[in-house]
Amino acid sequence: MVRWRILVGTAVAVLTAAAMGATASPASAAPTGNGDAVVPTTNVVGGTRATQGEFPFMVRLSMGCGGALYSSTIVLTAAHCVGSTGTNTSITATLGVVDLNSTSKITRKSNYVYRAPGYNGSGKDWALIRLASPVTGLATLPLNTSSTYDTGNFTIAGWGAATEGGSQQRYLLKATVPFVSDATCNSSSMYNGEIIASNEICAGFTAGGVDTCQGDSGGPMFRTGASGLVQVGIVSWGDGCARPNKPGVYTQVSYFASTIAAAATSLGG
C-alpha cells in the first residue's frame, strides 16, 4: 500500500528524519471557477502538460518533492519531505520552468528548514524552506485564509509519477479535481475515519483516474479566490494513486495559514 507521495529511493534519509512522513504532489490541473462540474481527464496521474509560465510559483525540490513559492526566499512544502527544523544547505530548488531539463531553469540552495511544530507523521504536514538567495521575477502563491475557498474545484500540478509506481516526469503536469467532503472521505468506502477533519482536505473523483502521486508531495493544490489564485492544500498522502474511492489527501492550508505566515515572517520571508 503506497501512502506517502514522495519518490521512493530519492529521499530515504528524509523519510527517516521526518518520522517516515511523505507528501504527494499535485499531478496537474488548470485553474477553475467556484463550483462547476468537473469531468475527469484521462490521467494525472494522467494530467496534461502545463504551459511555460502558467504556474510560475511551482517549485521542484531535489529530495523528490514539490513546493510553492510563498515569497522570494520561502518555499512552502510538506513536513514529511524534510528533516527537523534547523540549518539545512542540502536542498536544491528548481523554479521558473515546466521542463526540468530546460537551460532557463532557476536554481537556489536552501539554508534553513522549518518543520511544523509537533509534526509526528499524522497531520500538521507543512514545512518552510528558506532559500539562500531571493528569486526575482516569479509570482508567489498566497495562502488561502478563508474556508469559503475550501470547496469547489481545485488545480493540482507537479512533476511526480504519472502512474502509480512510476518515475518522476520531466514536464510539469496539471489537472482539475473536485472537493470531497470530510464526511464522505472518512466514510467506510473511502478512508474509514483516517482523515483528520480539522486540518486535512480531500479532493478527487469517486471513479479515480485523476490524482497526485509519488513525487508530488509538498506541492500545492490551488483555486481562484477573491483576488486570484490561492493555495488551498499541500499534497500529503493517499492510498496508491488515482484509485477508485481513494481521493488525494491534502494539508488544509486555511487551518494553518496564520501559523505558516508567522513562521515565514520569523525566517525573514
Side-chain angles (χ1 to χ4, degrees), residues 41 50 53 56 68 75 80 82 113 122 152 173 187 190 196 203 218 239:
T41 55
V75 174
H80 74 251
V82 302
V113 162
S122 179
L173 297 181
S187 66
M190 288 192 176
I196 303 173
D239 277 356

Side-chain angles (χ1 to χ4, degrees), residues 197-264:
S198 64
N199 64 76
E200 292 182 325
I201 185 171
C202 299
F205 296 95
T206 301
V210 182
D211 197 6
T212 54
C213 200
Q214 277 60 58
D216 285 326
S217 279
M221 179 170 73
F222 47 98
R223 58 156 288 171
T224 301
S227 303
L229 295 179
V230 292
Q231 183 168 355
V232 171
I234 301 169
V235 182
S236 188
W237 62 279
D239 277 356
C241 304
R243 297 179 185 179
N245 292 310
K246 297 297 181 183
V249 184
Y250 302 80
T251 303
Q252 191 165 349
V253 167
S254 63
Y255 183 86
F256 296 105
S258 61
T259 306
I260 293 171

Side-chain angles (χ1 to χ4, degrees), residues 120-184:
N120 63 4
S122 179
K124 300 180 180 178
D125 196 8
W126 65 269
L128 301 175
I129 298 171
R130 188 173 66 193
L131 305 177
S133 61
V135 176
T136 60
L138 293 180
T140 57
L141 183 59
L143 304 180
N144 174 40
T145 59
S146 170
S147 59
T148 300
Y149 302 116
D150 283 339
T151 60
N153 301 325
F154 307 121
T155 298
I156 52 176
W159 289 271
T163 57
E164 185 174 327
S167 59
Q168 79 164 35
Q169 301 298 295
R170 170 178 171 177
Y171 296 97
L172 181 68
L173 297 181
K174 64 178 184 178
T176 302
V177 287
F179 169 73
V180 177
S181 71
D182 292 336
T184 300

Side-chain angles (χ1 to χ4, degrees), residues 4-21:
W4 298 110
R5 295 188 166 174
I6 191 169
L7 288 174
V8 175
T10 61
V12 174
V14 171
L15 286 169
T16 301
M20 301 305 291

